[in-house]
Amino acid sequence: MRTPIIAGNWKMNKTEAEALSLVRVLMQWVRSYSDVEVLICPPFTSLSTLYKLLVSSPIQLGAQNISDQPFGAFTGEISGAMAAEFCTHVILGHSERRAYYGEDNALINRKLQAAINAGLIPVLCVGEELAERDAGNAASVINHQIQEGLSGIHLGDPAKMIIAYEPVWAIGTGRSASPDEISDLIANVIRPSLSSLWGEKISQGIRVLYGGSVNSENAGGFFNTAEIDGALVGGASLTAEKFLGIIEKTQ
Ligand code: PGA
């Protein structure tokens, strides 16, 4: 059985003070849920403070990005080792990084290597754009993102890798894919692609999340399907009530 994960991707939102007030509320409620992992991914500037606050809380911390380089003259970058001082996870390959910062599968592959070297669990985001979907290319785009992104990476423990299927047209748009479409894609594209890299047993153990306009109203439909192991939540992770409402739907 794969334990579900609800992950919040805060993107470029919340000052340190705002982060503290949100997390103080989450902390009070998260213990009332069982058999679910909760991960929040705030901006780098709040990680140190939240790490101290969350020391005895089950809420896990993730970064939203790391450099592919281990250290050195890379102005503005944060290494895997630096993120790992505070974080257990890191989001990589998010469609906003791919679209606005030119991250291709080769760079994402180097970042995945860097994350694993630093002991971080990657949350690798994959997903097709609307034009790719309309052209009938969703499966091949996603397969390439997985094969090229994870090329050369050895994985012995399925708990050390998370995949988030996020169709680009569903992110921040209020329009989500249907639970059946997502299940079909996970079962027929994502898991077979993972299986070709690491074998059937590992592929069945890897958590595959859905992301794209998840909210407390539609979350139950996703979590009731066997293939979807949780959600990567953007907008609805910025308000305690909304994020907790999604976690609640796993119970
Ligand atoms: P959204 O974002 O929930 O606001 O659609 C999801 C994501 O980008 O991870």
Side-chain angles (χ1 to χ4, degrees):
M1 278 305 289
R2 300 181 294 257
T3 305
I5 304 178
I6 306 301
N9 173 11
W10 292 10
K11 309 189 181 184
M12 195 172 74
N13 292 292
K14 305 229 177 259
T15 62
E16 186 186 57
E18 289 165 346
L20 275 169
S21 60
L22 170 54
V23 173
R24 284 198 179 107
V25 181
L26 296 180
M27 284 171 74
Q28 287 173 12
W29 293 96
V30 153
R31 280 187 199 284
S32 52
Y33 306 117
S34 53
D35 301 319
V36 60
E37 289 183 30
V38 177
L39 169 68
I40 54 172
C41 303
F44 289 123
T45 48
S46 293
L47 287 176
S48 165
T49 300
L50 293 181
Y51 175 78
K52 288 174 201 135
L53 183 69
L54 290 170
V55 84
S56 58
S57 163
I59 298 176
Q60 305 176 84
L61 270 180
Q64 298 175 18
N65 182 31
I66 54 167
S67 171
D68 62 327
Q69 300 296 320
F71 58 85
F74 301 100
T75 301
E77 291 290 282
I78 302 278
S79 73
M82 292 169 186
E85 286 188 290
F86 310 112
C87 295
T88 46
H89 296 68
V90 59
I91 298 171
L92 292 173
H94 191 278
S95 62
E96 288 151 18
R97 303 283 328 164
R98 294 179 192 261
Y100 308 146
Y101 302 97
E103 294 197 9
D104 60 10
N105 290 330
L107 174 59
I108 292 162
N109 178 253
R110 295 197 299 278
K111 291 189 175 201
L112 278 153
Q113 302 271 8
I116 288 167
N117 290 342
L120 292 164
I121 300 174
V123 180
L124 171 63
C125 301
V126 298
E128 80 285 1
E129 291 177 18
L130 190 57
E132 294 165 334
R133 183 184 186 89
D134 289 345
N137 293 334
S140 87
V141 167
I142 292 161
N143 187 48
H144 271 99
Q145 288 172 335
I146 291 176
Q147 293 300 317
E148 290 172 22
L150 295 170
S151 162
I153 289 177
H154 171 77
L155 187 74
D157 177 358
K160 302 289 185 201
M161 179 69 63
I162 298 167
I163 306 293
Y165 169 52
E166 299 204 310
V168 180
W169 49 270
I171 295 177
T173 57
R175 198 183 144 197
S176 57
S178 77
D180 284 348
E181 286 174 301
I182 302 163
S183 290
D184 184 58
L185 204 121
I186 295 174
N188 296 313
V189 180
I190 295 181
R191 284 202 198 282
S193 191
L194 295 171
S195 176
S196 82
L197 289 166
W198 299 313
E200 184 62 14
K201 190 156 175 266
I202 296 265
S203 113
Q204 288 299 331
I206 294 174
R207 268 87 57 92
V208 182
L209 316 183
Y210 168 71
S213 298
V214 176
N215 56 45
S216 53
E217 284 85 59
N218 62 19
F222 301 127
F223 305 156
N224 285 339
T225 59
E227 285 292 349
I228 305 173
D229 304 317
L232 181 55
V233 184
S237 70
L238 298 173
T239 317
E241 196 189 4
K242 290 183 181 167
F243 193 53
L244 291 165
I246 294 170
I247 302 169
E248 171 106 44
K249 293 294 184 341
T250 63
Q251 302 296 291

